[in-house]
Amino acid sequence: VGDASYSLYLTHPFAVQALQKFYVRLPASPILALIFVAIALVLVVALAVAINRTLEIPGTKAMRSLFRGLTTSRVREQIGRA
């Protein structure tokens, strides 16, 4: 979960909002609420891990390879030429 913490931070409001639509349809029960929270936690973390592995990690690798070998001075030089 540590590597996916930023994905979790970004996606949890959307996932919680979607899950809340199901929660309001459940009968009022403390046990059901506890079970729902446990299931929601698992689903939100799974979503964050999936996004981390499918978007964040490949995106980071792509950006690193794109900018590999560029130093700050070379970047400034390239920008100056544009």
Side-chain angles (χ1 to χ4, degrees):
V1 178
D3 290 339
S5 62
Y6 188 63
S7 295
L8 179 62
Y9 167 73
L10 291 176
T11 60
H12 84 275
F14 303 106
V16 169
Q17 187 177 20
L19 290 169
Q20 188 177 25
K21 292 180 181 186
F22 292 108
Y23 179 74
V24 296
R25 295 180 184 171
L26 295 175
S29 164
I31 299 297
L32 252 136
L34 185 61
I35 292 169
F36 184 82
V37 168
I39 291 170
L41 180 64
V42 170
L43 290 175
V44 169
V45 170
L47 175 66
V49 169
I51 289 174
N52 175 262
R53 290 184 180 173
T54 59
L55 296 175
E56 191 176 348
I57 291 173
T60 301
K61 287 180 181 179
M63 293 304 283
R64 283 186 182 156
S65 68
L66 181 65
F67 293 108
R68 183 173 288 130
L70 290 179
T71 62
T72 304
S73 59
R74 284 188 60 199
V75 170
R76 287 186 185 141
E77 181 182 300
Q78 292 295 326
I79 292 172
R81 290 182 189 174

